[in-house]
Amino acid sequence: MDPLQPRVAIVGSGLIGCSWAMVFASGGFQVKLYDIVQEQVTKALENISKQMKELEKTGMLKGSLKADQQLSLITGCTDLKEAVEGTIHIQECTPENLELKKKIFGQLDLIVSNDVVLSSSTSCLLPTKLFTGLKHVKQCIVAHPVNPPYYVPLVELVPHPETDPSILEKTYALMKKIGQSPVKLTKEIDGFALNRLHENKEGIISATDLDLVMSDGLGMRYAFIGPLETMHLNAEGMLNYCDRYREGMIRVLKSFGTIPDFSGEIEQKINQVCVHIGIL
Ligand code: NAI
């Protein structure tokens, strides 16, 4: 590893952790890939190596570095302290389980510096549930990718009410630097923007960012595969998907309000937004 390259840590080396590691390496960052068992880390590194070589062969490798150069930027470890040492950004990618994630952020809280960004990949856990009470809460944010982040660039940035605005800006700039399409949510809401796409009456995201959620996120995916195949591939099959995300899906669906009538004030408001962003 080049000691001068900025370093990031990925906590959890599963599906999303591996994809984030590849995205960061493609942007020239050093990556420490952490997991609890060595066997998983080894498997993850082998999987990344295989994928990158295939991508290079087919001319689809991201970034300006060759596959071998990118691979030399990624190392694995099973020691959390070693993983986060000297990092500018920590991307947590552990299973979607509130208690587990709280425990991990609690451990990180004890060992991180005062300027590192603590970011979670969570699909549907709210920042207030994850980060409230942490000493470093001002440095915490959700950066929710779309699976797989290597191919679909959208990332939803969701701050905790106490997140320092500079952390949101820093994360936004970092995501841009590694070729992702970040969008900013002004406040947390169940389902963020992606999973409640048409329900923006709360004003949680700008009109331009809402359109990006589709053009650089869901739209890219749905041009190739539909929602059922997506669910099946986003976990170890559909039953496992329901097992992992059932609670979150129910919460999001329950939080949808009444159906707007698309007339009067609402109709005028949508029209004004479209004029403003140049659609009409
Ligand atoms: P996964 O099950 O593939 O990977 C989770 C990894 O975390 C495993 O390698 C596991 O060994 C590791 N792990 C378990 N306990 C740990 C601990 N205490 N410390 C460190 N590592 C630990 O899960 P996946 O699909 O990668 O999801 C990770 C996160 O990303 C979840 O929060 C999920 O909601 C989110 N996400 C998932 C998407 C998907 O489609 N799969 C899309 C967007 C976000």
Side-chain angles (χ1 to χ4, degrees):
M1 277 196 186
D2 177 349
L4 297 176
Q5 297 287 72
R7 182 194 286 197
V8 299
I10 309 287
V11 175
S13 66
L15 193 61
I16 295 297
C18 285
S19 203
W20 270 124
M22 291 168 63
V23 174
F24 279 109
S26 76
F29 286 82
Q30 292 187 80
V31 181
K32 268 282 179 198
L33 190 55
Y34 165 85
D35 211 298
I36 31 173
V37 274
Q38 185 56 47
E39 202 188 350
Q40 171 59 29
V41 177
T42 308
K43 205 172 87 187
L45 292 173
E46 283 168 5
N47 168 12
I48 290 173
S49 170
K50 199 169 143 212
Q51 282 195 58
M52 279 200 182
K53 286 179 181 158
E54 278 295 318
L55 288 164
E56 187 166 59
K57 255 196 239 157
T58 51
M60 287 176 66
L61 187 72
K62 279 191 169 186
S64 53
L65 301 173
K66 291 187 175 1
D68 280 342
Q69 291 172 308
Q70 295 190 25
L71 285 169
S72 73
L73 291 171
I74 308 176
T75 53
C77 75
T78 53
D79 181 320
L80 193 58
K81 211 164 173 195
E82 179 195 333
V84 303
E85 185 139 20
T87 53
I88 57 160
H89 180 99
I90 299 168
Q91 187 68 35
E92 172 273 321
C93 308
T94 60
E96 190 75 343
N97 174 310
L98 180 61
E99 288 318 308
L100 174 68
K101 285 192 195 282
K102 277 174 74 172
K103 190 176 124 202
I104 291 163
F105 279 104
Q107 289 168 349
L108 289 168
D109 203 29
L110 299 175
I111 54 177
V112 294
S113 65
N114 288 333
D115 48 13
V116 66
V117 174
L118 283 165
S119 169
S120 174
S121 301
T122 182
S123 300
C124 49
L125 297 171
L126 295 176
T128 43
K129 297 270 183 227
L130 286 171
F131 308 134
T132 298
L134 294 178
K135 194 170 69 176
H136 293 93
V137 62
K138 288 186 177 147
Q139 296 158 233
C140 294
I141 193 160
V142 165
H144 172 227
V146 183
N147 187 33
Y150 196 81
Y151 299 101
V152 188
L154 186 83
V155 182
E156 297 186 279
L157 302 181
V158 193
H160 182 281
E162 292 176 65
T163 302
D164 192 299
S166 70
I167 294 293
L168 177 60
E169 295 312 323
K170 238 195 228 182
T171 314
Y172 186 87
L174 178 67
M175 292 297 145
K176 283 275 200 196
K177 200 164 175 188
I178 56 173
Q180 301 302 94
S181 288
V183 295
K184 299 175 193 170
L185 272 71
T186 52
K187 61 175 185 187
E188 66 177 27
I189 185 160
D190 270 323
F192 308 145
L194 184 91
N195 288 326
R196 56 185 306 126
L197 197 56
H198 305 291
E199 182 78 357
N200 189 35
K201 65 179 185 230
E202 301 89 346
I204 53 158
I205 189 169
S206 75
T208 318
D209 275 6
L210 182 64
D211 273 3
L212 262 185
V213 168
M214 187 50 99
S215 60
D216 279 16
L218 286 176
M220 291 181 79
R221 169 196 285 166
Y222 290 144
F224 298 100
I225 57 172
L228 292 179
E229 194 173 352
T230 300
M231 288 160 106
H232 185 72
L233 293 174
N234 277 0
E236 287 153 32
M238 180 60 93
L239 296 179
N240 181 250
Y241 183 91
C242 289
D243 208 31
R244 289 182 190 203
Y245 298 109
R246 177 180 297 117
E247 271 182 38
M249 289 192 290
I250 293 172
R251 258 199 346 267
V252 175
L253 289 171
K254 275 192 179 160
S255 74
F256 280 108
T258 49
I259 297 168
D261 59 8
F262 296 101
S263 66
E265 201 187 326
I266 290 193
E267 175 189 39
Q268 290 303 324
K269 212 168 157 188
I270 298 170
N271 185 50
Q272 274 166 20
V273 167
C274 291
V275 171
H276 180 70
I277 61 176
I279 294 175
L280 298 177

